[in-house]
Amino acid sequence: MSSYKDESFRRESDSLDDVEMQERDSDSRGEQEDRLLPSEDTDEVGEIKYKVEWHLRTGWAIALSVLAAGLALVGLVLFTKLFIVGSTVAVEDADLEVVGIGGFRRPASDYILDPSWDINAAPTVRQYEWKVVDIVANPDGVFRPMITINGKFPGPMIECNEGDTIIVDIDNQSVNATSIHFHGIYQNGTNHMDGTSGITQCPIASRRKFQYKFTITGQSGTYYYHGHQAIQISDGLYGPLVIHSRNEKKLQHIPYATDRVVMLQDYYHELSSGLLVTNLEPGNEAPPIPNGALINGLNKRDCSQLPGRMCDNSTATVPAFELAANAHHRLRFINAGAFAWFQVSVDEHEFAITEADGTDVVPTYDSRMMIAPAQRYSMVINTNQTDMDLFWLRARMVTHCWAEPELPGPGADEVKAVIHYTKSKQPQQGLISQPTSRAWTQGMEMQCRDMNTTSWEPASFEPAPSEADYSYYLRANLEIGDWYADFCYSRPLFNY
């Protein structure tokens, strides 16, 4: 007992657990346990002192824990309701603009240039207010999420004179960040207004605003703008930009009665964000194949051929261009697609190409035209046929240079528009029949390559210097070791 007693004086027991440990070491366990009563603060057993401390009973601990958890839960619910759910509802209401069925479609007249436009007007400021909004729409009948400007698809046309200042105020109400690139505009002195996300600017965050401001100098012709954050051009964020020159009448060698924009687009039924992820997967070098094509945002698909899609083509239409008979008409073609080349022709009509990527050229005649993504060509046609007044304009994607040329399937690889001869300037009420015109007999192009432009001559140019001061050899390619990018099949062409 002496050794035990000495040890007990050296160690002060701080809890009943300590007491129990000491009691287990004692030879007189039973007698000591009998003396540990709750009513005693300190009992003496020989020379050993026991200190009894009160602890919270288990029942109270559980009750207080449950109460604390309940209060925390109530606080979390109130916080979520007041600060998260409330703001989310407001965001969703702003994100998804309610558009009546077909109400998102831009009127065809919006892409007809003003015949009374004053190309000699003094330079002025032209300002646009654009709200970028998310909608669900069905341009060809198939419903899908889209990114639009002011709830309309495609975007509005910017029409201006050389020397004008363009101001575009962007209010990004989309859930995604964005930027607007003005394709082909020189941006001399305003490189920060070029709109190339991650290169010349940070993207415009959701719920934020940004103003583009630049002056058009030293260029004219046909251009376009488009979303430049990821591949938002494929989601509907694009539109035409036309710049008039004071010398336009002189540079265009064929006078024309009307002037309009014709935008071609390879069209996907899926969001570009998902397509891009798939396209960049390891080992995948084939860009995604379009599901179809659009002209000025229009086409009409057979919903019975698309059983896996939510489709309603009751408001979808085949585009039509009403052109006065026995006159010349200028069609400004823009390939606003992400991947596909188009071969364009007009049944039973030759045409003159009078502009290429903003450069006026001496008219060169052909019966079909190849146009790559981002390219622009002006075509002038003469409505001089006498045996009928309805003709097909055909724009067919060149699928032979794809990894899977059989896609997207018969009929889906071509989009058509109607050329309708009119005898008056009054708009017609609608077409009562489809054209029975004959297509040109030449076969489809087997390669995605430019037309032979070696014989084309600019309408106005300065001769090149007879001798070069310096000569440089430049070679640009995407290459890793012995592997290089074949631009007919590789991923660089997706979002050209």
Side-chain angles (χ1 to χ4, degrees), residues 257-268:
T258 65
D259 191 358
R260 71 193 66 215
V261 168
V262 182
M263 291 186 293
L264 308 176
Q265 180 193 4
D266 49 16
Y267 187 60
Y268 296 84

PDB file of all heavy atoms in Angstrom, residues 257-268:
ATOM      1  N   ALA A 257     -29.372  46.889-109.306  1.00  0.00           N
ATOM      2  CA  ALA A 257     -30.625  47.486-108.840  1.00  0.00           C
ATOM      3  C   ALA A 257     -30.824  47.288-107.353  1.00  0.00           C
ATOM      4  O   ALA A 257     -31.399  48.151-106.669  1.00  0.00           O
ATOM      5  CB  ALA A 257     -31.806  46.905-109.613  1.00  0.00           C
ATOM      6  N   THR A 258     -30.411  46.150-106.826  1.00  0.00           N
ATOM      7  CA  THR A 258     -30.565  45.866-105.401  1.00  0.00           C
ATOM      8  C   THR A 258     -29.277  45.288-104.846  1.00  0.00           C
ATOM      9  O   THR A 258     -28.439  44.755-105.592  1.00  0.00           O
ATOM     10  CB  THR A 258     -31.722  44.885-105.130  1.00  0.00           C
ATOM     11  OG1 THR A 258     -31.418  43.612-105.721  1.00  0.00           O
ATOM     12  CG2 THR A 258     -33.040  45.419-105.684  1.00  0.00           C
ATOM     13  N   ASP A 259     -29.158  45.374-103.520  1.00  0.00           N
ATOM     14  CA  ASP A 259     -27.940  44.945-102.830  1.00  0.00           C
ATOM     15  C   ASP A 259     -28.374  44.295-101.523  1.00  0.00           C
ATOM     16  O   ASP A 259     -29.130  44.887-100.747  1.00  0.00           O
ATOM     17  CB  ASP A 259     -27.065  46.175-102.564  1.00  0.00           C
ATOM     18  CG  ASP A 259     -25.667  45.829-102.083  1.00  0.00           C
ATOM     19  OD1 ASP A 259     -25.378  44.630-101.925  1.00  0.00           O
ATOM     20  OD2 ASP A 259     -24.874  46.764-101.856  1.00  0.00           O
ATOM     21  N   ARG A 260     -27.930  43.065-101.272  1.00  0.00           N
ATOM     22  CA  ARG A 260     -28.343  42.366-100.054  1.00  0.00           C
ATOM     23  C   ARG A 260     -27.265  41.408 -99.571  1.00  0.00           C
ATOM     24  O   ARG A 260     -26.333  41.076-100.312  1.00  0.00           O
ATOM     25  CB  ARG A 260     -29.657  41.612-100.285  1.00  0.00           C
ATOM     26  CG  ARG A 260     -29.539  40.400-101.192  1.00  0.00           C
ATOM     27  CD  ARG A 260     -30.921  39.915-101.602  1.00  0.00           C
ATOM     28  NE  ARG A 260     -31.593  40.906-102.432  1.00  0.00           N
ATOM     29  CZ  ARG A 260     -32.917  41.137-102.402  1.00  0.00           C
ATOM     30  NH1 ARG A 260     -33.688  40.440-101.585  1.00  0.00           N
ATOM     31  NH2 ARG A 260     -33.453  42.037-103.194  1.00  0.00           N
ATOM     32  N   VAL A 261     -27.431  40.955 -98.324  1.00  0.00           N
ATOM     33  CA  VAL A 261     -26.484  40.040 -97.694  1.00  0.00           C
ATOM     34  C   VAL A 261     -27.065  38.633 -97.692  1.00  0.00           C
ATOM     35  O   VAL A 261     -28.261  38.437 -97.423  1.00  0.00           O
ATOM     36  CB  VAL A 261     -26.183  40.478 -96.247  1.00  0.00           C
ATOM     37  CG1 VAL A 261     -25.442  39.393 -95.480  1.00  0.00           C
ATOM     38  CG2 VAL A 261     -25.384  41.781 -96.237  1.00  0.00           C
ATOM     39  N   VAL A 262     -26.212  37.650 -98.003  1.00  0.00           N
ATOM     40  CA  VAL A 262     -26.587  36.233 -97.941  1.00  0.00           C
ATOM     41  C   VAL A 262     -25.552  35.532 -97.072  1.00  0.00           C
ATOM     42  O   VAL A 262     -24.405  35.331 -97.495  1.00  0.00           O
ATOM     43  CB  VAL A 262     -26.647  35.594 -99.335  1.00  0.00           C
ATOM     44  CG1 VAL A 262     -27.086  34.133 -99.231  1.00  0.00           C
ATOM     45  CG2 VAL A 262     -27.573  36.373-100.263  1.00  0.00           C
ATOM     46  N   MET A 263     -25.937  35.152 -95.853  1.00  0.00           N
ATOM     47  CA  MET A 263     -25.009  34.506 -94.924  1.00  0.00           C
ATOM     48  C   MET A 263     -25.240  33.002 -94.913  1.00  0.00           C
ATOM     49  O   MET A 263     -26.370  32.531 -94.728  1.00  0.00           O
ATOM     50  CB  MET A 263     -25.182  35.069 -93.511  1.00  0.00           C
ATOM     51  CG  MET A 263     -24.715  36.495 -93.374  1.00  0.00           C
ATOM     52  SD  MET A 263     -24.761  37.082 -91.648  1.00  0.00           S
ATOM     53  CE  MET A 263     -26.522  37.080 -91.367  1.00  0.00           C
ATOM     54  N   LEU A 264     -24.159  32.257 -95.106  1.00  0.00           N
ATOM     55  CA  LEU A 264     -24.192  30.799 -95.051  1.00  0.00           C
ATOM     56  C   LEU A 264     -23.618  30.339 -93.718  1.00  0.00           C
ATOM     57  O   LEU A 264     -22.655  30.917 -93.208  1.00  0.00           O
ATOM     58  CB  LEU A 264     -23.370  30.205 -96.198  1.00  0.00           C
ATOM     59  CG  LEU A 264     -23.683  30.711 -97.609  1.00  0.00           C
ATOM     60  CD1 LEU A 264     -22.723  30.087 -98.614  1.00  0.00           C
ATOM     61  CD2 LEU A 264     -25.119  30.419 -97.989  1.00  0.00           C
ATOM     62  N   GLN A 265     -24.207  29.273 -93.192  1.00  0.00           N
ATOM     63  CA  GLN A 265     -23.707  28.747 -91.915  1.00  0.00           C
ATOM     64  C   GLN A 265     -23.894  27.240 -91.864  1.00  0.00           C
ATOM     65  O   GLN A 265     -24.977  26.735 -92.166  1.00  0.00           O
ATOM     66  CB  GLN A 265     -24.461  29.377 -90.728  1.00  0.00           C
ATOM     67  CG  GLN A 265     -23.984  28.858 -89.371  1.00  0.00           C
ATOM     68  CD  GLN A 265     -24.921  29.223 -88.232  1.00  0.00           C
ATOM     69  OE1 GLN A 265     -25.981  29.813 -88.448  1.00  0.00           O
ATOM     70  NE2 GLN A 265     -24.544  28.875 -87.008  1.00  0.00           N
ATOM     71  N   ASP A 266     -22.809  26.528 -91.515  1.00  0.00           N
ATOM     72  CA  ASP A 266     -22.994  25.120 -91.158  1.00  0.00           C
ATOM     73  C   ASP A 266     -23.639  25.100 -89.783  1.00  0.00           C
ATOM     74  O   ASP A 266     -23.252  25.843 -88.891  1.00  0.00           O
ATOM     75  CB  ASP A 266     -21.678  24.343 -91.186  1.00  0.00           C
ATOM     76  CG  ASP A 266     -20.552  25.037 -90.417  1.00  0.00           C
ATOM     77  OD1 ASP A 266     -20.844  25.951 -89.617  1.00  0.00           O
ATOM     78  OD2 ASP A 266     -19.389  24.666 -90.614  1.00  0.00           O
ATOM     79  N   TYR A 267     -24.628  24.251 -89.602  1.00  0.00           N
ATOM     80  CA  TYR A 267     -25.482  24.364 -88.419  1.00  0.00           C
ATOM     81  C   TYR A 267     -25.447  23.086 -87.605  1.00  0.00           C
ATOM     82  O   TYR A 267     -25.593  21.979 -88.134  1.00  0.00           O
ATOM     83  CB  TYR A 267     -26.914  24.670 -88.857  1.00  0.00           C
ATOM     84  CG  TYR A 267     -27.849  24.979 -87.726  1.00  0.00           C
ATOM     85  CD1 TYR A 267     -27.617  26.058 -86.881  1.00  0.00           C
ATOM     86  CD2 TYR A 267     -28.971  24.191 -87.490  1.00  0.00           C
ATOM     87  CE1 TYR A 267     -28.468  26.345 -85.831  1.00  0.00           C
ATOM     88  CE2 TYR A 267     -29.836  24.475 -86.434  1.00  0.00           C
ATOM     89  CZ  TYR A 267     -29.579  25.551 -85.622  1.00  0.00           C
ATOM     90  OH  TYR A 267     -30.427  25.825 -84.586  1.00  0.00           O
ATOM     91  N   TYR A 268     -25.243  23.268 -86.282  1.00  0.00           N
ATOM     92  CA  TYR A 268     -25.191  22.156 -85.342  1.00  0.00           C
ATOM     93  C   TYR A 268     -26.409  22.207 -84.428  1.00  0.00           C
ATOM     94  O   TYR A 268     -26.832  23.289 -84.007  1.00  0.00           O
ATOM     95  CB  TYR A 268     -23.917  22.233 -84.491  1.00  0.00           C
ATOM     96  CG  TYR A 268     -22.635  22.083 -85.277  1.00  0.00           C
ATOM     97  CD1 TYR A 268     -22.060  23.175 -85.917  1.00  0.00           C
ATOM     98  CD2 TYR A 268     -21.999  20.852 -85.376  1.00  0.00           C
ATOM     99  CE1 TYR A 268     -20.881  23.044 -86.643  1.00  0.00           C
ATOM    100  CE2 TYR A 268     -20.815  20.702 -86.092  1.00  0.00           C
ATOM    101  CZ  TYR A 268     -20.261  21.806 -86.722  1.00  0.00           C
ATOM    102  OH  TYR A 268     -19.097  21.676 -87.434  1.00  0.00           O
TER     103      TYR A 268
END
